[in-house]
Structures are given as C-alpha cells and as structure tokens.
Amino acid sequence: MSSPARTIRGRAAVVGVGESTYYKHGQSPDREFVLVLKAILAAAKHAGIDPREIDGFISYSNDRNTGVRIANALNVHEMRWSTMQWGGGGGGAAGGIEQAAAAVAAGLAETVVVYRGLAQGEFGRFGGAMPRKPIDSLRVAYGMTTPATVYASRLNRFFHETGVSPDTQKAVSLASYRHAQNNPRAVMHGRPLSGEAYDASRWIVEPWHLYDVCQENDGAAAVIVTTPERAKDLVARPAYVLAAAMGHGQRSGGFIENVYDSPTFATAEFGPLAGHLWQGAGLGPSDVDVVQSYENFSGGVVLALIEHGFCTTENANDVLTVENLTVPSGRLPLNTSGGNLAEAYMHGFGLVVEGVRQLMGESCNQVPDAKVSLVVGGPMVTPATTVLFGTEEALA
Amino acid sequence: MILPEGVFPVVSGPDDLDRPFWDGTREEQLLIQRCRECRGWQWGPELICRHCHSFEVGFEEVAPTGTIYSWERVWHPIVPQLADAVPFVIVIVSLTDAPQIRLVGNLAADPLEPVVIGTAVEAVFEHHPDYTLVQWAKRS
C-alpha cells in the first residue's frame, strides 16, 4: 500500500466563518466566553452544520476559552482533538488553520473549529506593559516593555539596510482604513483616515505613528474546517487549504524570547516559511489574488509582503502604494476587511475570516473572481505562521 | 538618570540566568556569557552553549564599547510615571568584542538628536540604589 503524499494541499477546507460583534476594548456587553460561543455558533450556521458535530477545537496564544469548556457548553457528541499553538502570540492566527488541516487530513478529526476570543475589558489590555520574567530585565529596565517597543527597532534597522521608505507603512495603514469604510463590522467603519491625518497623528514609538499600531478590541472570530468530501456537500465554494507553514529560522524571536544575537533581526521571520508555503502549494506570489497580512504594526506587513515575494526591497517603494493595495483596481489587494488596524484586533483571526470570505465571494471589498487567498500571521513573532487558501479551480 | 527611578526596576534573583551580568554592572564591568569549552559568546544567557552544547557556560568581561545597530524613539509614555520622561531613545548596541551580540540600553544624549546607525558608543554605568543600568553615550 502506498502512503499518501506528504502534503496537506486540498485535504481540508474551510466551510464556515463567523464572528461576534466587534467592540472597542472594554466595551463588550458580553463576557469573553459568550463572544467565543457566538462566533462559533455563527460559523457553524454559516457552514450549515449542527455545532454538536464539531469534534476538534484549536486556538493560540493561551486563549482562555478551552476546547473542553466549549465542547461541554455546546454539548458536542464527541471531542477528538484539542490543541493550542505554543507561543507566538498573533503569530498563531494562520497556524490554527495549519493544525486543523493536519488533524483533518490525518483522519484524526472530522469537523474542527479554530477560534480566538478577546475581551480586553474583562481580562486586561494587550498594548500596555507586558507581564515580565526575571530575564526580561535586560530590556524592560530600559523601557522596552510593550509590543511596540519590542519591535520598532527592527524596522529602523530594516529601513537603514534596504532603503525601503517608511512611507510604505503609511500605504498599509491607509489601505486598511479605506477598506474598513465598506465593512459595517469594522470598528473604524465611518471613520475614514486621510494621509494628512496619518501624518499629523502622534508618534507612539518611531517609526510608528498612532495609525501604524493595531487597535485593541473585544470580540471573537471562528472558522470551521472539515474534509474536502464533506466540504463539497456543505457549501458552494469551500476555501481549500493549499499550503501552510509555521516556524522560524536559526536564532529567531528577538528580545522577547531572550535572543540578542539574531541574524534575522531586520526581518519578520517569514523567510524560511515562504519557501515551504509556495512549494507546498505548487504556486508562487504571482498566483495570489488577495492578501490578508497581520498588522501588529504596519511595518511588519511591509516585511511580510517582501519576504513572501510580492515585491523586493528594490521595488517596494513603487509597489506598496495605497492605490496598489486597495480594491477594486489595486494589483495587490491587502487587508480587505480593514484588518487589525481598522476592522478589529481579534489577534489576527479576523484576517483568516476575511481571507476565506474572499474565496466564497462574500467580502465587503470583493476581489472579482478571487481564487487564491493568502493569510499571514503575526510578523516578527515566533513561531510565525502563514496559510494559503484556494477555490476548487485553484486545486485543479 | 534617563528613566525615573523605580518604574522598571531590575528583577533578578540569585539563581537567575542574568544575575552575573547585573552583579558585574555594580562593579562597572560588562560581563557576557561565554562557553568555557568552545569559547563561543552568546546572549541572552542560557543554560547550554548554543555553539557546542556544553553546559560549562560562564561569564567574561568585554570592552564597554560598541556601535549603534538600531534605535527607536519612544513617545507614548506606556505608564503614567513616564509622562515626563518621554521622549527617550532606546538603542541596540553591537559590542566591539562580540559584534553579533547586541545589548538594549538608553542613549545618554538629547532625545531629539537624530540617531545614526553605526555611531560608536561607550557604556555609562547608571547606578541606582539596588542595581546598575548600562546606558550608552557617543564616543568622542
């Protein structure tokens, strides 16, 4: 008997997406667990399944809402899979899909929910000073205490080494806000951002203005992953997993991981992942119709796009413009729901939902006839993750 | 003093990996982890040498000089106690004796001065009652 090919290409598909209402941090009337349940129920309804059929539960970044609690609250028939990505914060956004695809492809679960819930009012803000371990004094004693201060110097080094302009970050931010104006779910819907307002906004930490930094929100998002056979029976346009990758290269992670000699300091850590991703899918960046790329900070998106091969350090200043990054006419439509900057910060999981919606033809900023959709998890964090989805045509 | 006293104190117990570093700063010495077997440098400190996997890792003094590898200027005060301390500059300093190693510190200069990557700097030991920070000043 021959063993199946060692790839997940086409062996799992997303069949439903859902989210709670998104709120500014501290403004959710619901408790975090309720937000998560609402997102999961919405995703199950979208997929046309009974939520009691869910047999796998996956999240990341130490999500407080365990699979066991959800399984029991929803009275699922049987739990077969429950995992959490180890470390990486928002880097886990795409990684949850990779785990789900692996579980489904291996026959270890049939119907898996991947989710992330955050109620920063109930449990505390993300953007403030982070909890510290003793070893963290090596940076914290000097004021490097927040995600923004941990990562900003990596971009300043990158701009110095490459000549890429910090204005590429502005294009990312403006594109997100422009897309959010067509998305009624977006917290920044009805609050457009002009280039002048971006320039006039206060610095948080150079090279980042206020609008380069993600929001802090309350909410939850979820997707349902199942087998390709079941997917075809359930929905008209499943989003098949074409490839996924997780990890980092040698000596990565930066100061937050107690690494002060990383050769990949001026990167987002996607170098080795992108190779695995394109090889696994048998595709390249020119085949991608639409990209969702995690914005903890706009600069991380610039790095992620370059490292995935959408442009080079030589032409980034010409390619990464607002016009090029926005629908309907841009060649590289980016963060089409408004993303973490302008839709909501669901630790990147809203980006997964949007990447799937594009293939289902259900985005509020629909890219016509989108067949291949990339979702990139948190840049500069480790392990980083990235996942490529495609329609049935993309699999052919 | 670049940041106000006591806002982000050094926290390091007797058994913590970075304790020899902080003890060294009290004597105005810059001590970095070095393998006793293969002589490789590494930072942050770890229980094993990443070069040769020996557990015989110790600390050795390096020259208190380096160059600015990167930087960031912090404007958001993060906590209310920093309201009068912003902006301040964090520098990432590549050490002269072990250039692959980069320490995080503050730049002892006008915080609004442009920061130039590659600038030569030297350590300034900033003594607090219970610990000593390693700050950096431009070398003349």
Side-chain angles (χ1 to χ4, degrees):
Chain A
M1 188 178 125
S2 65
S3 59
R6 293 186 63 217
T7 169
I8 58 168
R9 185 175 179 275
R11 297 175 67 199
V14 178
V15 289
V17 300
E19 66 261 287
S20 72
T21 302
Y22 293 145
Y23 304 93
K24 286 191 167 187
H25 72 84
Q27 295 188 359
S28 170
D30 289 329
R31 296 181 57 172
E32 187 178 85
F33 190 58
V34 171
L35 296 169
V36 169
L37 293 171
K38 285 183 172 177
I40 292 174
L41 291 173
K45 185 176 178 190
H46 188 230
I49 63 163
D50 180 342
R52 295 171 192 80
E53 296 171 56
I54 297 170
D55 60 4
F57 297 83
I58 294 172
S59 191
Y60 56 97
S61 197
N62 299 327
D63 193 290
R64 289 171 283 259
N65 308 283
T66 65
V68 174
R69 185 177 179 194
I70 297 167
N72 285 320
L74 295 179
N75 204 21
V76 305
H77 304 311
E78 182 187 11
M79 151 86 86
R80 297 180 66 196
W81 183 273
S82 176
T83 53
M84 160 82 70
Q85 175 168 321
W86 203 6
I97 305 300
E98 180 175 18
Q99 291 184 57
V104 166
L108 303 175
E110 172 96 3
T111 308
V112 178
V113 65
V114 190
Y115 60 93
R116 182 78 176 105
L118 285 173
Q120 299 195 33
E122 187 179 350
F123 290 104
R125 291 178 58 182
F126 260 41
M130 297 179 285
R132 60 189 292 193
K133 307 180 289 292
I135 198 79
D136 295 339
S137 291
L138 294 169
R139 59 178 171 82
V140 169
Y142 305 96
M144 186 185 275
T145 64
T146 58
T149 49
V150 162
Y151 297 117
S153 61
R154 295 175 71 156
L155 266 297
N156 280 331
R157 180 73 195 183
F158 170 78
F159 294 136
H160 169 80
E161 284 183 4
T162 61
V164 172
S165 167
D167 282 350
T168 52
Q169 305 183 113
K170 178 179 174 180
V172 168
S173 179
L174 294 182
S176 294
Y177 269 82
R178 197 179 283 186
H179 287 143
Q181 304 319 308
N182 294 329
N183 178 2
R185 287 179 293 265
V187 173
M188 294 299 173
H189 182 246
R191 297 182 63 187
L193 176 66
S194 68
E196 294 73 29
Y198 172 96
D199 289 335
S201 68
R202 62 191 171 96
W203 289 112
I204 299 300
V205 49
E206 292 178 49
W208 294 326
H209 288 270
L210 174 66
Y211 294 108
D212 292 306
V213 176
C214 64
Q215 304 178 76
E216 296 172 281
N217 300 100
D218 293 352
V223 308
I224 306 288
V225 180
T226 190
T227 62
E229 295 77 20
R230 186 138 195 258
K232 266 190 233 182
D233 292 340
L234 285 170
V235 294
R237 291 176 66 81
Y240 293 91
V241 177
L242 299 181
M246 175 191 297
H248 56 81
Q250 206 168 11
R251 290 293 285 174
S252 296
F255 306 130
I256 205 166
E257 301 289 350
N258 190 33
V259 176
Y260 291 77
D261 56 1
S262 176
T264 54
F265 180 84
T267 80
E269 311 288 1
F270 291 110
L273 278 68
H276 295 302
L277 186 82
W278 301 130
Q279 186 179 30
L283 297 173
S286 62
D287 298 306
V288 175
D289 297 305
V290 58
V291 178
Q292 317 299 321
S293 186
Y294 187 113
E295 330 94 304
N296 33 16
F297 310 102
S298 58
V301 180
V302 173
L303 298 177
L305 293 174
I306 292 170
E307 290 166 29
H308 278 80
F310 291 102
C311 57
T312 65
T313 54
E314 286 74 28
N315 69 8
N317 294 341
D318 299 323
V319 175
L320 303 183
T321 62
V322 185
E323 291 65 34
N324 238 351
L325 300 179
T326 42
V327 291
S329 53
R331 284 168 44 221
L332 183 58
L334 175 78
N335 296 353
T336 48
S337 65
N340 290 331
L341 295 177
E343 184 190 46
Y345 180 79
M346 282 304 105
H347 224 173
F349 213 69
L351 298 166
V352 176
V353 168
E354 174 66 10
V356 170
R357 280 205 174 107
Q358 284 285 356
L359 297 186
M360 292 183 164
E362 297 175 7
S363 170
C364 47
N365 286 294
Q366 184 62 46
V367 172
D369 200 28
K371 293 187 180 66
V372 178
S373 169
L374 178 69
V375 181
V376 181
M380 300 181 281
V381 301
T382 47
T385 65
T386 180
V387 61
L388 193 67
F389 295 105
T391 60
E392 192 165 357
E393 299 99 297
L395 270 181
Chain B
M1 207 167 291
I2 295 171
L3 299 182
E5 174 67 37
V7 180
F8 300 117
V10 169
V11 180
S12 183
D15 294 332
D16 289 329
L17 278 170
D18 59 351
R19 184 61 187 233
F21 173 84
W22 294 114
D23 287 346
T25 64
R26 295 302 270 173
E27 309 299 322
E28 305 208 345
Q29 291 181 328
L30 205 48
L31 303 182
I32 297 294
Q33 202 173 44
R34 189 172 202 182
C35 179
R36 294 193 183 100
E37 304 270 350
C38 79
R39 310 294 295 143
W41 297 100
Q42 68 179 9
W43 201 250
E46 189 45 282
L47 292 167
I48 189 170
C49 169
R50 71 178 172 91
H51 306 284
C52 74
H53 298 174
S54 165
F55 292 97
E56 297 300 316
V57 282
F59 279 73
E60 286 192 20
E61 188 171 4
V62 293
T65 59
T67 55
I68 295 177
Y69 180 80
S70 194
W71 63 281
E72 58 197 39
R73 187 175 288 110
V74 182
W75 291 84
H76 179 68
I78 304 169
V79 292
Q81 300 96 303
L82 290 187
D84 296 327
V86 291
F88 62 91
V89 173
I90 295 174
V91 283
I92 315 304
V93 173
S94 167
L95 295 176
T96 305
D97 286 349
Q100 74 275 27
I101 288 173
R102 306 165 201 131
L103 299 189
V104 172
N106 297 123
L107 187 63
D110 177 347
L112 295 177
E113 262 180 36
V115 185
V116 179
I117 288 174
T119 300
V121 289
E122 62 188 358
V124 177
F125 292 91
E126 184 188 277
H127 294 291
H128 294 244
D130 298 324
Y131 56 89
T132 297
L133 298 183
V134 183
Q135 309 290 23
W136 299 91
K138 292 176 194 172
R139 255 186 288 169
S140 48

